[in-house]
Amino acid sequence: MSEKGRDRESVVERAAEELRSESPSPEVVAQAAARVWASVASSSGSTDFDDVAMPQEGQPLHSCADYQALMPSLVAGTLSDARRLLVEDHSRECIPCRRTLHAARAGRRAEAVSEVRRLSQTWLRVAAVGGAALGAGLLAWLAWTLVPVSEAEMAQVRSVEGELFVVDDGDRRSLLPGDWVSAGEEIRTAQDSGAVMRLSDGSVVEIDERSSVLFRVQRSGARIRVGRGAIIVEASEQGSGHLDVSTDELLVSVKGTIFAVSHGTKGSRVSVIEGEVSVDDGKQEKTLLPGDQLGTRRAAPLAFEEELAWSRNVDHYLEVLREFAALRRDLNQIIAAQQPRFSTRLLDLAPAETAVYVAIPNPTVSVTEVYRLLRERIEANPRLAQWWQEEVDDAGFGPMVDRFMEEIRALGEYLGEEVAVGLTDITGRDTPSVVILAEVTNALALEASLEVRLAELQGMIAAGGDETALVLVEDPFTAGGAGESLLVWVSDDVLVAATSVDRLREVARFIEGEVNPFVGSSFHGRLAASYSSGAQYLAGVELASFLPDLLQGEEGAERRALELTGLLDVEHLIVEREQGEELAHTAATLSFTGPRRGMVGWLAEPAPMGALEFISPEASFVGAFLSVDPAVIVDELLAFAAAEDENFATHLAEVETELGFRPQDVVAAFGGEVAFALDGPALPEPSWKLVVEVKDERLLQNVLEQAVARVAHAAGDAGGLSLATVAGDERTYYSLTAHVGAGEGEGAEAAMLLDGRSMVYTYHDGYLVAAPTQAMVEQAINFQEGGVSFVQAAEFQALLPSDGYLDVSALVFNRLGEVLGGLFERLASSSVELTEEQRQTITALQADVGPSLHVAYGERDRIRLVSNGPGVLPFLGVGQVFGLSQVMGMIDPAAGSGAASWQ
Amino acid sequence: MDGDETKEVDLHSAQPASVPEPPEALERLFQEHHERVFRAAYRITGNASDAEDVLQTVFLRLARREGDLGIGKTSAGYFHRAAVNAGLDLLRARRRSRTVGLENLDGEEDAPSKQLPGQGRLELRDALRAALTHLSPKAAEIFTLRYVEGYGNHEIARMIGASRTTVAVVLHRARHRLQKELSPIEGAVS
């Protein structure tokens, strides 16, 4: 910064310091406080506005009469600034005073007209003849809008279709256009009727048939109470106040927007068409945006076309909604339009010791494109223009946003299609060095632009309290660097920014042609392979370069646990993401230095999964995997346990004697395929299915029967398990039931939930098929035999990734967001107290609405994970399904009867 | 600043007997914060009369909220911000009405660049007040909270519901603008 700049800055700071140093004496504060409190204390009381003289300057303003007495002076322009502010501020929030002020101003305009008339009689005669009709219209308009009305005249009827009436002490008085409704009067519309009301603040309220509405005045603004029926409110700007709409169950607060509120026997619903609405249902406050709906109790979301169908302006409202939806869709298209990159020069320029590499599309392109589209839409659509004006321009951010976008655009024009970031020196001991790389399309222009903008950027960073220095380097080989600095250098065709001068010089040497050892490394090879198949967002971590250092201190049991996981052999993690118009595609590959072993080795290589054929196409959650031979898994676990506990072998022998079989005997009966699904109504009991591959049915059934008998014997009167055999038409079904005694302590509640629960299973076609009821087991077998199952489901097929694999090693399909999101939301708005965890689940489910598919491929030396869809967490919502019946029982004993509708 | 002491005000004795009692919550808030509001307003407006009007405006607005005196409205930050905004409103109203309300300012108060060399600290204060009216309301508020009332960027961001980056950018531009406006008088006050 120049010397002059520092001086100018000090002038501002000195001036601010001068202001800070000004302080009134305690006596002055005390006297002022006493006067003001006298005024404030009295302001909430007196409503007698008559015969009050105009308060003198310095005299506190106590009542509306005081303010109204000053209005002529305000209109005449003779009031002091301080007084004028007080009067204007009060008038914005007080309807009677606002009307009085309007009237005072109208009177002043009339005086001005009279003055003109005296000065120009001839002109006026022509105007009087030619504008008689106009004058009459003007008078009518003045009478309509400016004539002072009392607080009792709260809303005026603009139009009526059918019958609109007031109910007062049993009397029914019809209302006609032009009639006024007082605060506190309840108005109703008859069957096949409708009306439009205009509030004194300019807001317009459209009322549906068979509705009951009551208007009230509050100090903060008007309140509309909807007793029943539906209204649409076009709220005018509220100044410092706000307009409220309430039902028995919620309170909606707005500043200026369009929204609908309906209330009936099943609950209340708010639908936002334009702007922003705050809704308070007594438990929490939510903000709704255009297209959002919120319902209480059983008022489920309803299509806007249906919700607004009764309105005379339905087409207009739907057009507004469509405009916002189109904007959102276009923005998605811009982001999705970024093409994958199949090669890059930047990867070959990364520092030799790069341990983390991240590459993204040039962000300035999409940012400026989004802003251009937004401005185009705003220019073309008055509704959007109004929204922009209120949200951005009126807040004073308009010029700043324009300037910022212009700078981004200018900078982005000189950069190529990709920006890459490399991290080196990740040992956990030192601060990593960061290198940023971008190809340059116009080096001279970029350098000139940076000279100007870096100083400005530096100022912004400093203002934000960050001391990082931005230094534009001319020659990296002569540049120095100390402290927290980011060195920026523009070569002929590449921009390099580095936190270390050594890394900057290293990259400069590679640009000049020196051989980069990174190019021959396996990490580089993995990243290059990702580029060859197309990369949009790419991130890679060479875990092998620093993980051993991080785990160096781990010994003994921790070390053995890490070895059991197999993660000590990990080499790289590569994550790729593509953003499509509708779906996001994310793939992560974890590679190892040799064949997978330990737990990460338990995942089998991709193969067909017959267990999926027992699951219906409508399943809301499916999880399935293929494991290596279960005997291998048991052997590894037993070996780990034996290493941990020298007495393990003795304990194991005791257990084997107790149960009558060895673990190896049990697992020998199983294949390596398992599928679990939520496949049917979630209530009153979750409809789960478990399908397990079985190699030896007779052995497994024998082991199970022995185990149940021994558990029952050991439990005695305390409970246990029972196994019943049910002969079916074609096969035998087994019913396993838990009998848990009334325990005490921590497990008592869980025991009560388990007591009496049954699981029915049978064997079919090499699989054990289990479900809560025999009917569900039979249904599962019907799907398998019928040949139409989850595997053919259109949603599942659409989400399968397009790659070289025919099968997968594991998968999780989740559309619980669709099924449960609305249900949970209704729970949240009910009287049930939900836990914080449940609320977080609701929020996550709402964000992840839409099916998601996560698949894993186990290869010899790597595991590849691919996710398609909006959902990030594969198992989100599954645990909550099993708690639903208890929660629903708390709020609605008859919940089970409606269970089918949630599927 | 806030720590300044003043003698206790007997609010009950100041209240007319003929009007209803105000809510207790309002009285408690007034007891707790009136000094904070008055002193902040005094720093911004530069005189006790205007500061008193600001104090009245702030608490009258609060009184009209009736039941809305609860959570979120009682913090010192809220009252500081309310005082700053009402004070800045007053300065801006003066500029619009061209009544030259800053008693000690010579000449056009909205043209600080015409301040002559040799004027002292008073002129510097008034020049900054005048220059603040040339900023957007949001920028003036953020600048005042940061440099006059001593809040950090993080606190301001939380108070106005914006990000720290936005606050930093607005501050940077506001300071740049004020530097340009005050630079003609820097020789006079250095």
Side-chain angles (χ1 to χ4, degrees), chain A residues 32-42, chain B residues 11-12 14-15 22-23 26-27 30:
Chain A
R35 285 193 295 271
V36 170
W37 178 248
S39 170
V40 172
S42 62
Chain B
L11 300 176
H12 290 291
Q15 184 181 332
L26 182 63
E27 182 175 346
F30 190 87

Side-chain angles (χ1 to χ4, degrees), chain A residues 452-472:
Chain A
V452 175
R453 291 190 166 84
L454 274 188
E456 195 161 349
L457 193 57
Q458 178 74 75
M460 291 186 191
I461 291 173
D466 195 330
E467 295 180 354
T468 301
L470 294 176
V471 181
L472 190 58

Side-chain angles (χ1 to χ4, degrees), chain A residues 11 14 18 20 22-24 26 35 37-39 45 67 81-82 85-86 89-90 93 219 403 456 463, chain B residues 4 6 11 14 39 52-53 56-57 60-61 64 66 90 97 99 121 125 129 147-148 153 173 186:
Chain A
V11 167
R14 269 184 288 152
E18 287 296 332
R20 282 199 297 274
E22 286 198 304
S23 180
R35 285 193 295 271
W37 178 248
S39 170
Y67 289 103
D81 289 322
L85 271 179
L86 285 173
D89 184 66
H90 176 84
E93 299 185 2
R219 291 184 187 277
R403 179 91 189 278
E456 195 161 349
Chain B
D4 298 343
T6 186
L11 300 176
R39 289 186 183 278
E52 187 173 335
D53 280 330
Q56 178 170 337
T57 302
L60 280 177
R61 283 175 181 169
R64 290 188 207 112
E66 287 190 325
L90 202 59
S97 62
T99 54
R121 296 165 56 194
R125 288 198 290 261
R129 288 187 178 109
Y147 289 101
V148 180
N153 287 8
R173 297 203 185 285
E186 66 180 312

Side-chain angles (χ1 to χ4, degrees), chain A residues 108-259:
Chain A
R108 176 139 184 89
R109 279 196 289 275
E111 284 177 19
V113 171
S114 301
E115 185 67 15
V116 170
R117 184 172 291 161
R118 281 196 297 275
L119 293 174
S120 181
Q121 292 292 331
T122 306
W123 184 91
L124 247 191
R125 272 195 294 276
V126 174
V129 173
L134 181 65
L138 182 63
L139 284 173
W141 177 77
L142 285 172
W144 179 272
T145 58
L146 298 178
V147 168
V149 294
S150 71
E151 180 171 317
E153 294 178 322
M154 169 99 198
Q156 190 171 31
V157 181
R158 298 288 299 272
S159 65
V160 179
E161 281 181 17
E163 187 180 6
L164 176 71
F165 55 90
V166 173
V167 177
D168 188 11
D169 288 337
D171 292 337
R172 178 169 161 150
R173 173 167 55 91
S174 290
L175 293 171
L176 299 171
D179 287 347
W180 284 91
V181 175
S182 302
E185 283 186 317
E186 182 186 356
I187 62 171
R188 292 183 189 175
T189 48
Q191 185 178 9
D192 297 328
S193 299
V196 177
M197 309 287 295
R198 181 190 171 94
L199 303 193
S200 50
D201 67 0
S203 299
V204 176
V205 182
E206 186 178 2
I207 306 172
D208 193 12
E209 65 166 344
R210 292 181 173 278
S211 298
S212 163
V213 179
L214 185 143
F215 300 97
R216 287 193 186 282
V217 184
Q218 303 183 122
R219 291 184 187 277
S220 57
R223 172 170 289 187
I224 306 169
R225 177 165 183 76
V226 181
R228 65 167 183 266
I231 65 170
I232 296 174
V233 181
E234 291 190 31
S236 64
E237 275 305 312
Q238 299 291 309
S240 57
H242 49 84
L243 172 67
D244 292 343
V245 178
S246 68
T247 71
D248 286 342
E249 294 160 295
L250 49 80
L251 174 65
V252 185
S253 296
V254 298
K255 288 282 191 180
T257 181
I258 305 176
F259 64 103

Side-chain angles (χ1 to χ4, degrees), chain A residues 333-526:
Chain A
Q333 280 178 348
I334 286 176
I335 294 168
Q338 292 172 334
Q339 296 300 314
R341 303 175 303 285
F342 292 90
S343 65
T344 181
R345 185 184 168 208
L346 302 181
L347 180 63
D348 294 351
L349 297 176
E353 300 297 323
T354 297
V356 176
Y357 179 87
V358 179
I360 60 172
N362 180 351
T364 62
V365 175
S366 54
V367 168
T368 52
E369 188 65 10
V370 164
Y371 190 60
R372 181 194 60 75
L373 174 77
L374 190 62
R375 294 312 303 235
E376 274 183 12
R377 291 272 183 176
I378 289 168
E379 296 286 332
N381 189 293
R383 289 283 173 191
L384 284 179
Q386 185 183 350
W387 166 76
W388 183 263
Q389 175 74 33
E390 291 167 356
E391 300 297 325
V392 181
D393 289 342
D394 289 351
F397 291 120
M400 189 178 78
V401 172
D402 285 341
R403 179 91 189 278
F404 178 73
M405 288 300 171
E406 177 55 28
E407 289 182 1
I408 289 282
R409 187 198 61 76
L411 199 62
E413 274 186 356
Y414 309 133
L415 297 179
E417 61 178 4
E418 182 181 52
V419 175
V421 179
L423 268 67
T424 63
D425 310 316
I426 302 182
T427 60
R429 291 185 291 271
D430 303 315
T431 305
S433 296
V434 180
V435 174
I436 302 169
L437 297 163
E439 286 197 84
V440 173
T441 57
N442 187 337
L444 285 177
L446 176 61
E447 204 161 9
S449 174
L450 282 176
E451 281 179 4
V452 175
R453 291 190 166 84
L454 274 188
E456 195 161 349
L457 193 57
Q458 178 74 75
M460 291 186 191
I461 291 173
D466 195 330
E467 295 180 354
T468 301
L470 294 176
V471 181
L472 190 58
V473 172
E474 285 191 14
D475 182 353
F477 299 107
T478 59
E484 292 184 3
S485 58
L486 186 67
L487 307 169
V488 183
W489 174 56
V490 182
S491 76
D492 290 344
D493 52 1
V494 177
L495 177 144
V496 187
T499 57
S500 153
V501 69
D502 293 337
R503 295 282 86 81
L504 182 68
R505 287 173 183 163
E506 184 186 6
V507 174
R509 288 198 300 275
F510 298 148
I511 290 173
E512 289 183 350
E514 188 173 305
V515 175
N516 185 351
F518 178 61
V519 175
S521 68
S522 62
F523 185 36
H524 178 279
R526 296 278 191 194

Side-chain angles (χ1 to χ4, degrees), chain A residues 241-310:
Chain A
H242 49 84
L243 172 67
D244 292 343
V245 178
S246 68
T247 71
D248 286 342
E249 294 160 295
L250 49 80
L251 174 65
V252 185
S253 296
V254 298
K255 288 282 191 180
T257 181
I258 305 176
F259 64 103
V261 176
S262 52
H263 179 60
T265 308
K266 289 168 65 181
S268 302
R269 183 166 48 231
V270 183
S271 311
V272 181
I273 299 161
E274 183 191 290
E276 186 177 303
V277 163
S278 170
V279 184
D280 188 345
D281 63 2
K283 298 185 191 69
Q284 57 179 339
E285 192 168 317
K286 277 189 173 181
T287 299
L288 304 185
L289 298 173
D292 289 345
Q293 280 188 336
L294 177 73
T296 64
R297 289 190 287 135
R298 289 182 171 273
L302 185 67
F304 272 75
E305 286 82 353
E306 297 177 45
E307 179 73 352
L308 308 175
W310 58 270

